[in-house]
Amino acid sequence: MSNIITVKDMCLWYGEHQALKNVNIEIPEKNITAFIGPSGCGKSTFLKTLNRMNDLIPGVKITGDIRYGGTDIFSKEVDVNNLRKEIGMVFQKPNPFPMSIYDNVAYGPRTHGITNKVELDEIVERALRDAAIWDEVKDRLKKNALGMSGGQQQRLCIARALAVQPKILLMDEPTSALDPISTSRIEELVLELKDKYTIVMVTHNMQQAVRVSDYTAFLLLGELVEFGKTDDIFSQPKDQRTEDYITGRFG
């Protein structure tokens, strides 16, 4: 099994506050890795570092080494736009653009220079099929995306991320704003996508981590306490703090 992202001794500060402390982890390719831990422990911060979304926040300082496919993501040679094309992101709240369903999905490919209508049509259909929503929207592609339900909007946002053919999909609590039926649809979708993509998912829902992930990382107060196969983490955690968290003693 090969690792697609390697993180060594990573620390992150927001101004004076240290949010992540000496994180070391190797993220395996074409698997689902879940990050769990109480609110404010650094899960989303870690996720946003992987495609340099934290660059957009003033006062952030990062030390350590983060490599994607062997390349240092903070190297001067790295084109951040290309990095974000290869490492896509889906956020906690569905955030479709206020435009048609079609234009939402075509947006990324267009910004990367694809203008041919036949090619765009193919990309849009493939991405919507991959996001398991094509059959629901194929007859209303010109309709405004804001008229969709929350669960549909989130699958549209997944399609939008897939349209530029990323290698990795980062998902920051992708179902926390959704009802149980939409949540199970997204979970089924995530399980289907791991054949083609590496998925790194932050979830506050431990049952979700058990249901969908192959590997689980437990973060606490900015530290990576434990990382391993999901079955092992939940059945025989090595660290008492992990056990306390998953058995509900704190968090």
Side-chain angles (χ1 to χ4, degrees):
M1 180 188 66
S2 61
N3 296 313
I4 194 163
I5 289 180
T6 305
V7 178
K8 285 188 181 151
D9 301 329
M10 178 200 150
C11 298
L12 181 144
W13 290 262
Y14 293 119
E16 299 291 301
H17 169 65
Q18 187 169 359
L20 291 168
K21 301 165 189 166
N22 293 320
V23 175
N24 289 280
I25 191 168
E26 295 184 337
I27 292 175
E29 192 170 16
K30 293 198 177 150
N31 279 274
I32 301 170
T33 301
F35 277 77
I36 61 168
S39 293
C41 68
K43 305 185 295 290
S44 296
T45 296
F46 176 80
L47 200 68
K48 287 180 189 145
T49 306
L50 300 180
N51 68 346
R52 290 185 54 180
M53 292 291 277
N54 285 327
D55 289 18
L56 308 170
I57 302 168
V60 165
K61 179 182 145 203
I62 299 168
T63 60
D65 188 65
I66 302 175
R67 292 186 181 264
Y68 158 59
T71 303
D72 173 4
I73 67 166
F74 292 106
S75 148
K76 290 188 171 52
E77 280 76 65
V78 168
D79 176 330
V80 177
N81 287 331
N82 271 347
L83 180 74
R84 291 186 189 140
K85 177 177 182 280
E86 299 217 347
I87 307 181
M89 183 129 193
V90 176
F91 295 92
Q92 187 167 357
K93 288 197 173 65
N95 59 342
F97 302 137
M99 51 178 77
S100 73
I101 293 170
Y102 182 97
D103 287 339
N104 262 276
V105 183
Y107 185 88
R110 281 178 179 142
T111 60
H112 291 286
I114 296 172
T115 52
N116 178 306
K117 174 140 181 9
V118 174
E119 196 177 349
L120 282 171
D121 287 351
E122 283 173 4
I123 289 169
V124 168
E125 179 173 344
R126 184 185 64 231
L128 289 166
R129 282 189 186 280
D130 276 356
I133 194 172
W134 169 253
D135 290 338
E136 291 167 56
V137 301
K138 63 182 183 211
D139 300 325
R140 51 188 182 117
L141 295 175
K142 296 284 175 258
K143 293 270 195 322
N144 193 311
L146 301 181
M148 304 165 84
S149 72
Q152 288 177 324
Q153 286 187 5
Q154 192 63 306
R155 279 182 287 150
L156 176 67
C157 291
I158 293 170
R160 192 173 67 194
L162 298 180
V164 295
Q165 294 192 288
K167 302 275 193 300
I168 301 175
L169 197 54
L170 307 178
M171 306 182 102
D172 190 3
E173 301 203 12
T175 62
S176 66
L178 303 179
D179 62 89
I181 289 172
S182 301
T183 294
S184 69
R185 280 205 175 148
I186 300 271
E187 288 181 2
E188 284 164 17
L189 169 58
V190 168
L191 288 167
E192 285 164 23
L193 290 174
K194 79 168 178 182
D195 291 341
K196 295 184 189 173
Y197 308 94
T198 301
I199 296 173
V200 186
M201 181 189 224
V202 163
T203 178
H204 67 284
N205 180 333
M206 284 187 274
Q207 281 69 42
Q208 183 168 69
V210 172
R211 285 192 297 264
V212 304
S213 70
D214 304 291
Y215 292 85
T216 295
F218 171 53
L219 279 174
L220 183 63
L221 301 171
E223 284 181 51
L224 179 64
V225 173
E226 193 164 346
F227 172 64
K229 290 192 166 167
T230 297
D231 292 348
D232 296 341
I233 294 281
F234 282 95
S235 61
Q236 45 200 24
K238 294 187 174 71
D239 191 293
Q240 186 62 44
R241 292 169 294 174
T242 313
E243 185 166 337
D244 288 347
Y245 182 69
I246 61 179
T247 54
R249 286 195 198 111
F250 73 87

